Amino acid sequence: MKNIAIFASGTGSNATKIVEYVADSEKMKVALIISNKKTAKVLEMAAAHDIPTLVINRSTFYETNHLLEDLKSYQIDFIALAGFLWLVPSYLVKSYPNKIINIHPALLPKYGGKGMYGMNVHHAVRANNEKESGITLHYVNEQYDEGAIIFQASCLVQANETAEEIRNNVLKLEHRYFPSVLAALVLAD
Ligand code: GRF
């Protein structure tokens, strides 16, 4: 059995899709959900599914490597970032080489980097009159949104679409592809 940890700071709609997708698997499970916000909705979802959770703070995350011990104790093999905004520290990247993936709500390398998250991304896509947007799944390295790209899917952006509508279309792609791409990587690991 491979154990997945999900890092998420927000609503956790992607985390929920992943949990549901692997729920019947005999080969993998979501063994831990980690958040930097103790009020994050994703933690309620975890509790509803009896998944252990951990709330981290900036100083332990960046100034110690205690988290590694926690990940070890849950025998975590693979990490999925699903709406987790903090830069992943080097000790974690090195301990999980090509085993940490992130989902980004745009077609990288466009609209990536520091500050390019959430609605900022979709407002920028709108402002630039892009004809398409989409999702990128990529490995995580020490820079924001710069790890090798694993998978992309795109959607058309109509001239009259609002940033919110773009977000909704992109989120549908996230829900459709993130769980299966993650599961395939975990299986191949
Ligand atoms: C998603 O758009 C994801 O691409 C980004 O953060 C958002 C998380 O949404 N990294 P949710 O918490 O999974 O609903």
Side-chain angles (χ1 to χ4, degrees):
M1 178 68 93
K2 298 268 186 178
N3 289 321
I4 302 167
I6 300 177
F7 286 50
S9 314
T11 314
S13 67
N14 280 285
T16 305
K17 293 288 175 192
I18 293 167
V19 166
E20 289 169 357
Y21 190 87
V22 303
D24 296 326
S25 173
E26 285 167 6
K27 299 195 168 136
M28 66 188 80
K29 70 169 196 279
V30 176
L32 182 63
I33 294 189
I34 296 176
S35 182
N36 59 311
K37 277 198 197 139
K38 62 175 188 292
T39 54
K41 275 195 81 142
V42 69
L43 297 173
E44 294 168 26
M45 182 280 288
H49 287 86
D50 287 327
I51 299 170
T53 58
L54 207 60
V55 177
I56 55 171
N57 65 41
R58 227 170 231 289
S59 61
T60 46
F61 192 49
Y62 289 110
E63 289 158 27
T64 73
N65 59 8
H66 296 165
L67 184 61
L68 277 186
E69 295 305 315
D70 293 314
L71 294 173
K72 253 189 224 153
S73 70
Y74 285 97
Q75 298 178 299
I76 298 303
D77 301 294
F78 216 94
I79 296 173
L81 309 185
F84 182 74
L85 300 183
W86 289 357
L87 192 63
V88 173
S90 173
Y91 72 82
L92 198 50
V93 174
K94 291 202 169 78
S95 302
Y96 285 88
N98 283 350
K99 290 169 197 288
I100 310 178
I101 68 168
N102 180 47
I103 188 152
H104 187 78
L107 296 171
L108 291 174
K110 281 179 157 186
Y111 305 106
K114 196 167 165 52
M116 272 296 160
Y117 61 87
M119 285 308 294
N120 295 354
V121 173
H122 308 299
H123 283 302
V125 166
R126 175 67 291 152
N128 288 336
N129 284 318
E130 293 286 357
K131 300 281 181 285
E132 62 170 12
S133 190
I135 61 168
T136 303
L137 284 153
H138 65 93
Y139 289 111
V140 169
N141 66 13
E142 285 95 340
Q143 274 78 43
Y144 276 118
D145 304 323
E146 286 185 14
I149 291 174
I150 301 162
F151 175 88
Q152 292 186 304
S154 59
C155 54
L156 294 176
V157 174
Q158 308 295 341
N160 60 353
E161 261 176 4
T162 63
E164 284 72 20
E165 287 167 329
I166 298 170
R167 190 259 322 269
N168 293 342
N169 289 336
V170 168
L171 198 58
K172 277 186 203 147
L173 289 177
E174 297 189 29
H175 294 167
R176 177 160 168 206
Y177 290 111
F178 196 4
S180 56
V181 173
L182 170 66
L185 292 170
V186 172
L187 273 188
D189 182 41

